[in-house]
Amino acid sequence: MSTREMTMVEALRDGLRVAMLSDPAVFLIGEDLGIPGGFGGGFTVTLGLSDEFGHARVMDTPISEIAIVGAAVGAALVGMRPVAEMQYGDFVFCAMDQVVNQAAKMHYMSNGQVSVPMVLRLPVGASARGAQHAQSTEAWFMHTPGLKVVCPSNPYDAKGLLLAAIRDNNPVVFLEHKLLYGGKGGRKESSSAAKVVSVPEEDYEIPLGTVAVKRQGSDLTLLANMLMLHRAMDAAQELDQQGVHAEVIDMRCLVPLDMQPLIASAQKTGRVLIVEEDNLTGGWGAEVAARLSEAVFFHLDAPITRVAAPDTPAPTAPVLEHEYVPSVQRVVAAALKLVAG
Amino acid sequence: MTGSDNFPLETAREMYRRMVLIRRFEDHLYALFLQGAVPGTLHQYQGQEAVAVGVCIALRPDDVIFSTHRPVGHLLARGSSPRGIAAEIMGKATGCAGGKGGQMHLTDVTVGAMPSNAIVGANIPIATGAALAFQLRGQDRVAVSFFGDGASNIGAFHEGINLAAVKNAPVIFVCENNQYGASTAISSMLRITDIADRAAAYGIPGRVVDGMDVLAVHHAVLEAVERARQGNGPTLLECKTYRYAGHSRGDPGGYRTRDEVQRWRERDPISHMRALLITERGMAEEELISIENACQSEVEEAVEFARNSPEPGIEETYLHVFKERQ
Ligand SMILES: Cc1ncc(C[n+]2csc(CCOP(=O)(O)OP(=O)(O)O)c2C)c(N)n1
Ligand SMILES: [Mg+2]
């Protein structure tokens, strides 16, 4: 396999290319996707794709989120595989009826007569832009039966999961963290945590419904996704130096959720710390904690604990945002408390 | 240009001052951004000054405005302090929203500036609601919704304006058609030339206004405000204008030509008003220069103030999620 160093932006772009080359049913729809001299979508993921595939398959729309998602649903119903983009994940709330009442329910309501194979790409995470450009929205979709939820932490997973999402026969909400996009034909956030990794140029899929053990450990289990996976890995390194060995699992797909590796890890370590960027209450971590405590309660040496954003909207001032988004220090402190307790 | 004779000299001079203040503020902020001194995002207003000023000077202090992701011009035109705005953009405790809002959420209720909205089009039904409240309470106040050309394609535009129309709500819908929504030319996203024509679909007056001419904007708004105060309902004003800067920080604007930008710059609202004040109103060049210098100092002082201001205390993160019962 030939591989190339890619940022997440490049890996996602490559994933879209591969999908479009391999299946004429795949097309892109959203704002500023393919305008000559334009942005290539909210974060340049689609930059250059209209040159290669034309403006019919890289479809630019008015600022009309309901129409973007609704049109994706309609096209999917008659056999296409649209990939729709919201420029920021927060704008999906404009189109929530199309996601929750329409995309998620059509297959069920029709008793299986129709299906909605579409992907909805949402850039998420706080990035100094304020409360309406910051939310991590996994939990909203996890709560809605009929939607799959994917949230990669690195370029390799991003491409493989995106290809699997596009070929899945259901609506998939695909979250991309702004601070993980990286540069290279992309907007690089100043606080970017993105790492460039080797990504195959070929077609490959990472199955939905999988999580990934990123690091073995015996003292506690850290569960995290997207940017928080990186914070958890950094925390694990610091914890090592204090003699605490953390296992880290990348929660790269939340629906369907593969509980088995989580259960196995919790049984091994007896302690679970969940790290999420979403607001604490009703986040994905709450659901995972509930399921884990049902499954492994008697193996646990300490209560399942969460580090999350507080239950406030995201503030904008850098010092406040820094307080808001869980830091490596907070993860380390919570982990030490767990192992001490 | 519309003649300035109908306006008291004092009003015309104040219009000029506010436009210059906005321009100088935005230019100064851009310079700071280039030095890396501005955190977060930046959506600038250069080129559109005539709209904010023409509208806001027509309002009373008890009227309210609803702004967008590009709010600096609107707040300055309304008389909000440049210090509070600069500090908010720089994430300081002294910002008009304590640093919690940021560049896209400037808010200053002391001048009737409700929270600026970063969701395109969202303020259209919200402004309608404020206007309905004034109507319910028998007040002759008005609400103004500012939004862009791009916003005219989102559902909230249609729902909000139609509701205002059928209820005769005292609201003025000010569409600032700066020709682009982000990198997308509005001409590629509309089958009609004038967004103002959409007013007909809701049975309200719609007017195309030269948004590079502060007096033309002002005339049109005075009429719309009068209509609204008298209980005759909303108006849709489409102000044709242009943004000189990129859509947001770091946007080089590769989707439009230098020529196009130049053509619009030749119609610069500030230079035109300046010429008019000299030729038609006999203002002395020195007086204009002194206005300009005063604006420059005010801006520099405001930015200094912002730079020297403390950052918010981290406990602020947790305040204002809910309003306490008094
Ligand atoms: C609902 C929604 N969709 C998309 C965006 C991203 N976005 C921010 S500004 C903008 C362009 C807005 O264009 P316009 O309404 O013409 O205002 P302008 O920026 O030209 O002032 C877009 C697409 C957003 N903020 N909200
Ligand atoms: Mg515009």
Side-chain angles (χ1 to χ4, degrees), chain A residues 272-337:
Chain A
V272 179
L273 177 62
I274 295 168
V275 189
E276 53 188 326
E277 186 175 326
D278 196 2
N279 303 110
L280 180 72
T281 298
W284 64 261
E287 176 61 27
V288 171
R291 290 196 202 181
L292 270 179
S293 62
E294 283 164 18
V296 297
F297 185 77
F298 294 106
H299 292 88
L300 292 174
D301 298 320
I304 298 171
T305 303
R306 291 168 295 160
V307 170
D311 286 333
T312 78
T316 309
V319 279
L320 302 185
E321 192 183 85
H322 184 76
E323 168 74 7
Y324 175 86
V325 180
S327 61
V328 175
Q329 292 71 24
R330 270 183 69 197
V331 179
V332 169
L336 290 176
K337 211 170 140 203

Side-chain angles (χ1 to χ4, degrees), chain B residues 48 69-70 147-151 176-182 184 186 243 247:
Chain B
Q48 302 180 214
H69 55 283
R70 201 179 297 291
F147 53 89
D149 46 286
E176 296 188 63
N177 183 350
N178 61 9
Q179 318 301 324
Y180 292 86
T184 302
I186 191 62
R243 72 168 148 72
H247 167 67

Side-chain angles (χ1 to χ4, degrees), chain A residues 178-228:
Chain A
K178 282 161 224 152
L179 300 189
L180 296 180
Y181 275 131
K184 290 215 183 146
R187 254 160 86 178
K188 184 163 178 147
E189 300 295 306
S190 50
S191 46
S192 179
K195 292 186 179 73
V196 174
V197 307
S198 242
V199 177
E201 293 189 292
E202 281 79 8
D203 193 335
Y204 67 95
E205 292 181 26
I206 293 177
L208 305 189
T210 59
V211 297
V213 178
K214 304 300 275 193
R215 192 178 192 283
Q216 304 276 350
S218 51
D219 298 329
L220 85 161
T221 302
L222 301 179
L223 305 179
N225 66 356
M226 298 190 285
L227 180 66
M228 292 302 111

Side-chain angles (χ1 to χ4, degrees), chain A residues 68-295:
Chain A
I68 293 168
V69 181
V73 173
L77 282 174
V78 298
M80 298 296 278
R81 292 188 177 272
V83 181
E85 175 185 296
M86 302 280 103
Q87 292 198 334
Y88 284 76
D90 311 68
F91 310 155
V92 75
F93 293 109
C94 296
M96 221 44 177
D97 170 65
Q98 291 294 341
V99 182
V100 174
N101 287 323
Q102 313 306 333
K105 296 182 177 36
M106 293 269 178
H107 183 65
Y108 188 83
M109 292 192 301
S110 70
N111 201 27
Q113 294 181 77
V114 299
S115 60
V116 185
M118 62 173 278
V119 175
L120 180 57
R121 295 184 34 246
L122 306 179
V124 300
S127 61
R129 292 175 171 90
Q132 295 175 342
H133 283 69
Q135 295 161 88
S136 294
T137 50
E138 304 89 302
W140 289 84
F141 305 108
M142 258 185 110
H143 185 67
T144 302
L147 300 176
K148 296 191 175 181
V149 181
V150 178
C151 38
S153 69
N154 64 76
Y156 178 83
D157 284 5
K159 178 176 170 183
L161 286 166
L162 181 60
L163 280 162
I166 291 171
R167 290 157 183 170
D168 194 272
N169 286 327
N170 300 281
V172 179
V173 180
F174 195 93
L175 295 95
E176 302 163 5
H177 199 289
K178 282 161 224 152
L179 300 189
L180 296 180
Y181 275 131
K184 290 215 183 146
R187 254 160 86 178
K188 184 163 178 147
E189 300 295 306
S190 50
S191 46
S192 179
K195 292 186 179 73
V196 174
V197 307
S198 242
V199 177
E201 293 189 292
E202 281 79 8
D203 193 335
Y204 67 95
E205 292 181 26
I206 293 177
L208 305 189
T210 59
V211 297
V213 178
K214 304 300 275 193
R215 192 178 192 283
Q216 304 276 350
S218 51
D219 298 329
L220 85 161
T221 302
L222 301 179
L223 305 179
N225 66 356
M226 298 190 285
L227 180 66
M228 292 302 111
L229 187 271
H230 298 267
R231 302 263 155 106
M233 291 295 280
D234 290 350
Q237 215 161 15
E238 281 192 29
L239 288 165
D240 255 354
Q241 283 154 21
Q242 311 203 31
V244 174
H245 305 296
E247 183 142 305
V248 181
I249 300 182
D250 185 350
M251 303 290 288
R252 64 189 181 189
C253 183
L254 292 168
V255 180
L257 178 56
D258 184 7
M259 283 301 295
Q260 223 36 60
L262 312 185
I263 290 169
S265 181
Q267 282 172 340
K268 178 169 85 173
T269 64
R271 293 181 169 85
V272 179
L273 177 62
I274 295 168
V275 189
E276 53 188 326
E277 186 175 326
D278 196 2
N279 303 110
L280 180 72
T281 298
W284 64 261
E287 176 61 27
V288 171
R291 290 196 202 181
L292 270 179
S293 62
E294 283 164 18

Side-chain angles (χ1 to χ4, degrees), chain B residues 166-213:
Chain B
V166 296
K167 300 296 179 192
N168 264 346
V171 50
I172 295 95
F173 298 108
V174 180
C175 176
E176 296 188 63
N177 183 350
N178 61 9
Q179 318 301 324
Y180 292 86
S183 69
T184 302
I186 191 62
S187 56
S188 67
M189 293 297 160
L190 285 178
R191 282 294 183 136
I192 53 175
T193 311
D194 298 323
I195 292 165
D197 286 354
R198 289 188 166 173
Y202 312 112
I204 64 168
R207 180 136 332 134
V208 173
V209 182
D210 181 356
M212 305 303 269
D213 179 349

